[in-house]
Amino acid sequence: MKKILVTGALGQIGSEIVLKLREIYGDSNVIASSKDDREAGSEEVTGSGPFEIVDVLNLRQISQVVSKYKIDGIVHLAAVLSAVGEEKPHLLWDVNMNGLYNILEIAREKECAIFTPSSIAAFGPSTPPDQTPQDTIQRPTTIYGVSKVAGELLCDYYYERFGVDTRGVRFPGLISYKALPGGGTTDYAVHIYYEALKSKKFVSNIKEGTKMDMMYMPDALDAIINLMEADPSKLKHRNAFNITAMSFAPEDIYKEIKKHIPEFTLEYDVDPIKQRIAESWPNSLDDRAAREEWGWNPKYDLSSMTEDMLAKLRLKLKI
Ligand code: SER
């Protein structure tokens, strides 16, 4: 990839991957895009290189930007997440499916490679929940998960049928300190750090004992870049690879934070919708295919992530 378009560039992943890609490929070669530029704290992204308004539901807008910058790689991140999706299933289907379809069509026409994330949400209650295999039953029960399975299949189809270089990973919950996640089920694992520092008390909307896979953002960014740079002859899978860095329940992350903030307390006020979603997802993924095919190897575990998150958030929140 030489000229890269990032959609959803002001979101939780987008606002970090744009900066990292600009370091590697050059500021002017990474075009950040979003359907509007009103997100708070977006200046770092909009000010450090090209920024364009692109609504992924507007085929002409995507096409114009891809032609204008001679884009040859698209990191497609614009999407609605799981919890918001249960409130607005029609919006989710429109953005996640029609948005992806538009991006794939432009990529086919203009010969671009594509990275787009799938998720642990692509699995469901009938999936083996522990050490979930790479290739297994995928019968999700959320509209988000349905869109992720359909998206994986559509990306595979565009590769097999039209030769579009599509690649993806199944991201677990992503934890980061720059932009907040927007309406996912795993968001609690980000908010808990903010509350530990701000109010020393956290109310978890996910029940004790509910394990989900998680990952610190620096590892997620490496995953995107390493997979896109991977030798295609080594890839047996494409859409999408299981990847994980850790698996924990609310009480595990709480105990880890408490080591640094002894007065921190945890309570529960379970959100039934988020809990139902969380329980339908795996407890832990088997990520051996990603390790074998393109060298996936995360650096952060719960303890090193917690140390770094608290240090970075202390600076950000001036606490
Ligand atoms: N973090 C996402 C969510 O909770 C999972 O892909 O929706």
Side-chain angles (χ1 to χ4, degrees), residues 4-266:
I4 305 165
L5 173 67
V6 180
T7 71
L10 305 183
Q12 189 196 9
I13 307 174
S15 57
E16 299 209 31
I17 194 71
V18 165
L19 302 180
K20 178 119 189 181
L21 289 170
R22 283 180 177 156
E23 271 171 31
I24 300 171
Y25 298 91
D27 289 346
S28 60
N29 295 324
V30 179
I31 291 71
S33 74
S34 177
K35 74 174 184 329
D36 55 50
D37 57 3
R38 293 191 299 264
E39 304 282 329
S42 59
E43 302 75 23
E44 236 186 321
V45 169
T46 55
S48 61
F51 177 80
E52 295 279 348
I53 298 287
V54 174
D55 180 346
V56 294
L57 296 178
N58 186 334
L59 198 63
R60 224 184 46 200
Q61 225 172 33
I62 310 168
S63 175
Q64 278 167 353
V65 169
V66 168
S67 299
K68 176 176 167 187
Y69 292 96
K70 301 190 168 51
I71 298 294
D72 64 358
I74 304 175
V75 177
H76 174 49
L77 301 172
V80 175
L81 290 186
S82 60
V84 172
E86 291 310 292
E87 279 162 33
K88 300 176 185 167
H90 300 103
L91 173 76
L92 185 140
W93 189 257
D94 201 21
V95 173
N96 291 19
M97 288 321 303
N98 296 330
L100 175 61
Y101 178 74
N102 287 343
I103 293 288
L104 285 165
E105 268 302 285
I106 297 294
R108 177 178 70 81
E109 202 182 297
K110 300 186 189 289
E111 297 181 8
C112 304
I114 297 190
F115 172 91
T116 196
S118 183
S119 160
I120 50 172
F123 299 115
S126 52
T127 302
D130 297 303
Q131 288 300 304
T132 300
Q134 171 66 37
D135 301 304
T136 186
I137 300 165
Q138 291 184 263
R139 309 278 303 170
T141 48
T142 62
I143 190 68
Y144 179 68
V146 173
S147 82
K148 288 299 180 189
V149 176
E152 289 185 8
L153 294 173
L154 195 59
C155 286
D156 273 349
Y157 182 78
Y158 268 71
Y159 171 67
E160 296 291 345
R161 177 74 174 79
F162 304 118
V164 178
D165 184 354
T166 55
R167 306 181 188 193
V169 295
R170 295 180 183 131
F171 273 136
L174 297 181
I175 292 149
S176 64
Y177 55 87
K178 283 200 174 170
L180 285 169
T185 304
T186 55
D187 295 12
Y188 89 87
V190 177
H191 296 305
I192 193 169
Y193 286 105
Y194 282 79
E195 289 312 313
L197 288 168
K198 286 201 289 197
S199 62
K200 315 253 182 295
K201 173 187 156 184
F202 183 65
V203 182
S204 173
N205 52 30
I206 297 293
K207 212 188 268 177
E208 188 175 350
T210 312
K211 280 191 181 287
M212 287 185 276
D213 286 277
M214 301 278 177
M215 183 180 296
Y216 197 29
M217 188 59 85
D219 283 326
L221 303 181
D222 283 347
I224 297 176
I225 291 161
N226 294 342
L227 177 56
M228 285 315 279
E229 293 292 351
D231 175 353
S233 70
K234 302 238 160 66
L235 300 182
K236 291 191 209 95
H237 299 84
R238 279 180 166 266
N239 305 288
F241 286 91
N242 281 3
I243 58 169
T244 186
M246 59 194 98
S247 163
F248 58 74
E251 68 274 20
D252 303 320
I253 185 169
Y254 162 71
K255 281 181 203 145
E256 196 58 46
I257 296 173
K258 207 172 155 64
K259 288 183 191 164
H260 302 263
I261 305 171
E263 64 275 38
F264 184 37
T265 62
L266 174 66

